Amino acid sequence: DIQMTQSPSTLSASVGDRVTITCRASQSISDWLAWYQQKPGKAPKLLIYKSSSLEGGVPSRFSGSGSGTEFTLTISSLQPDDFGTYYCQQYDSYSVNIFGQGTKLEIK
Amino acid sequence: QVQLQESGPGLVKPSETLSLTCAVSGYSISNGYFWGWIRQPPGKGLEWIGSIYRIGSTYYNPSLKSRVTISVDTSSNQFSLKLSSVTAADTAVYYCARSRPNDLTGYPDYWGQGTLVTVSS
């Protein structure tokens, strides 16, 4: 069963900062990884798929990288609207936990 | 524009069956993609419940498999979730979602707004 672990669990950063969130898989998932942003009271929004492919309409300040077991989501220059909780999701195979536990991003 | 809308009771008694329906507009379920359910307990993370690909191909979270049934009604362009023998631990916001397929799995690209289901007597 593949386990997904995100770090950090919470993150506080200032507007303009470069922010990186890490997601690790317990075994190789190739590049079958997606990233989501969730605002309070809203459904998650797809940002990145296949590790580094940007979903249409998502600002180019978001980028993803990685393969195998280690992946990162980077926001190149943090904007006020980027607050929320970020989740990674593996889609290599079905398991009990296909999502990471989430990273809550707060704007200082 | 693809839209999904969950509907169903907001309150279910312990030991009973939770039933939700997701109405899809802007895309025909018969045309492909995975259709599934994801839930989020209050203040917690996301948990995948299961997915269905067209009719007959269902995939369930191993931890919930014995209690979950997902079905599709192509005539009404809807799909449904049934979760039996519920307890307070099943209290959550339930999302329906369309997933882009990758072999037998996928990743959600369109989500419903979510519906809160509380399990309580």
Side-chain angles (χ1 to χ4, degrees):
Chain A
D1 209 48
I2 299 174
Q3 299 295 319
M4 305 301 293
T5 304
Q6 285 182 236
S7 60
S9 297
T10 60
L11 178 59
S12 182
S14 300
V15 172
D17 283 354
R18 182 181 182 88
V19 170
T20 298
I21 298 169
T22 298
C23 179
R24 289 186 173 87
S26 59
Q27 65 190 66
S28 177
I29 57 170
S30 185
D31 54 0
W32 306 124
L33 187 97
W35 289 96
Y36 300 86
Q37 176 196 60
Q38 186 179 34
K39 299 284 184 76
K42 299 294 186 182
K45 173 188 174 183
L46 176 65
L47 300 175
I48 302 281
Y49 60 95
K50 207 170 182 291
S51 177
S52 60
S53 296
L54 192 68
E55 177 69 357
V58 175
S60 59
R61 63 181 179 271
F62 290 92
S63 64
S65 65
S67 66
T69 62
E70 188 152 337
F71 302 86
T72 58
L73 172 71
T74 299
I75 307 173
S76 61
S77 179
L78 193 66
Q79 298 302 301
D81 190 49
D82 297 338
F83 77 94
T85 302
Y86 291 79
Y87 294 93
C88 61
Q89 180 232 329
Q90 65 86 4
Y91 53 100
D92 175 79
S93 61
Y94 289 120
S95 61
V96 172
N97 296 303
I98 66 170
F99 292 98
Q101 80 276 19
T103 295
K104 185 175 182 180
L105 174 58
E106 300 172 339
I107 310 295
K108 282 182 183 174
Chain B
Q1 177 74 349
V2 180
Q3 292 185 314
L4 298 92
Q5 178 68 57
E6 306 90 351
S7 62
L11 181 64
V12 181
K13 290 182 168 55
S15 80
E16 295 189 344
T17 296
L18 178 160
S19 295
L20 296 174
T21 297
C22 183
V24 180
S25 58
Y27 191 85
S28 173
I29 287 179
S30 302
N31 286 348
Y33 284 84
F34 283 92
W35 305 90
W37 295 89
I38 295 151
R39 70 181 183 179
Q40 185 170 36
K44 296 188 178 181
L46 301 167
E47 181 181 33
W48 170 70
I49 299 171
S51 303
I52 188 166
Y53 183 67
R54 294 181 177 167
I55 296 176
S57 297
T58 51
Y59 307 90
Y60 299 135
N61 187 318
S63 69
L64 299 170
K65 188 174 182 178
S66 63
R67 300 194 291 131
V68 174
T69 302
I70 295 176
S71 58
V72 165
D73 182 351
T74 54
S75 65
S76 60
N77 216 38
Q78 296 179 336
F79 62 103
S80 299
L81 167 70
K82 291 188 185 299
L83 181 66
S84 64
S85 304
V86 297
T87 69
D90 296 309
T91 293
V93 173
Y94 285 75
Y95 295 100
C96 61
R98 185 186 84 165
S99 290
R100 293 177 191 164
N102 174 53
D103 193 14
L104 297 180
T105 66
Y107 57 96
D109 59 354
Y110 285 95
W111 300 64
Q113 64 184 24
T115 186
L116 174 63
V117 178
T118 301
V119 179
S120 175
S121 55

